[in-house]
Amino acid sequence: MEYTKEVEEMYCVNKGTDHGPAPIPEEGKWIQAKEIKDISGLTHGIGWCAPQQGACKLTLNIKDGIIQEALVETIGCSGMTHSAAMAGEILVGKTILEALNTDLVCDAINTAMRELFLQIVYGRSQSAFSSNGLAVGAGMEDLGKVKRSQVGTIYSTRLKGTRYLEVAEGYILEMGLDKDNNIIGYKYCNMGKMMANIKKGMDPKDAVEDAIGVYGRYDDAVKYIDPREE
């Protein structure tokens, strides 16, 4: 290491007390993180692209500084879905520092990685106080039994009001309205359940019927409309 002449000629003063970094909560322990391998935890974060036309929810499960599990969920431009496919392959097996400095193809995914890095190294993980953390595979729990992202798509205009297109339960088939045209319920098709039925050999028509459900006071409605056509 090279020093300037001014530094070399300085009198040497003892550094004094050094307590190291402040401990952070990690998987039920308090850890003084000095190296990347000291970091563990499962956490979620959101990223956005430069023109802010798309977003990514990223879930990472990190053990000893290495990403063991990644869940990449995106919404926005079509190219982002292909970027997510690449990022899913890129992320696992890397240290969190490697992943932070790797091009994950899409701005939104890169931003999500940055936000997760900050959370995880500051001890703000979802599993901070869980003894031994969460098992690899826990990230899939966000998707539910049918392994499908929880998506909400709602469209509104001042002139014609609100249209529910997709909610957590599934794809909206009909909205139920009361006598004042207020939304009081809806009929939906759970797409994950429908596809699971078809994969098991059920007739597609029966699979759709089996995946249909209603929410709210749908049966009390005086009018039903198709939110995509009416």
Side-chain angles (χ1 to χ4, degrees), residues 30-168:
W30 289 95
I31 302 294
Q32 284 189 307
K34 298 180 180 180
E35 301 178 35
I36 290 296
K37 66 181 179 62
D38 296 329
I39 300 294
S40 295
L42 181 142
T43 197
H44 316 268
I46 302 296
W48 52 94
C49 62
Q52 299 192 23
Q53 65 183 19
C56 167
K57 177 190 174 189
L58 181 61
T59 303
L60 298 179
N61 198 347
I62 298 155
K63 303 291 185 185
D64 302 321
I66 298 174
I67 298 170
Q68 302 291 343
E69 177 184 16
L71 172 61
V72 188
E73 300 176 86
T74 62
I75 185 168
C77 67
S78 58
M80 189 183 295
T81 62
H82 297 86
S83 299
M86 297 177 70
E89 295 192 38
I90 292 169
L91 283 166
V92 290
K94 286 187 178 293
T95 69
I96 56 172
L97 184 59
E98 285 180 298
L100 181 67
N101 289 288
T102 297
D103 183 6
L104 299 174
V105 190
C106 171
D107 280 351
I109 306 172
N110 284 316
T111 303
M113 182 63 228
R114 180 193 71 196
E115 297 302 306
L116 258 68
F117 182 90
L118 292 174
Q119 288 174 203
I120 205 78
V121 298
Y122 283 120
R124 271 49 168 197
S125 66
Q126 301 295 314
S127 58
F129 298 102
S130 303
S131 182
N132 296 320
L134 299 178
V136 175
M140 289 287 282
E141 293 178 7
D142 278 6
L143 303 180
K145 293 181 179 179
V146 295
K147 306 296 186 291
R148 194 167 188 270
S149 295
Q150 304 297 305
V151 177
T153 307
I154 311 297
Y155 178 74
S156 302
T157 62
R158 182 179 180 185
L159 180 66
K160 297 295 183 178
T162 303
R163 301 294 187 276
Y164 295 176
L165 303 176
E166 186 153 354
V167 293

Side-chain angles (χ1 to χ4, degrees), residues 163-200:
R163 301 294 187 276
Y164 295 176
L165 303 176
E166 186 153 354
V167 293
E169 291 87 0
Y171 178 97
I172 301 301
L173 301 171
E174 286 184 337
M175 294 184 350
L177 310 178
D178 66 11
K179 61 182 178 59
D180 297 316
N181 287 331
N182 295 309
I183 303 168
I184 61 171
Y186 50 81
K187 179 191 287 187
Y188 62 87
C189 179
N190 186 311
M191 303 298 286
K193 183 177 181 181
M194 180 192 77
M195 292 305 300
N197 286 338
I198 293 173
K199 285 168 63 178
K200 292 175 183 176

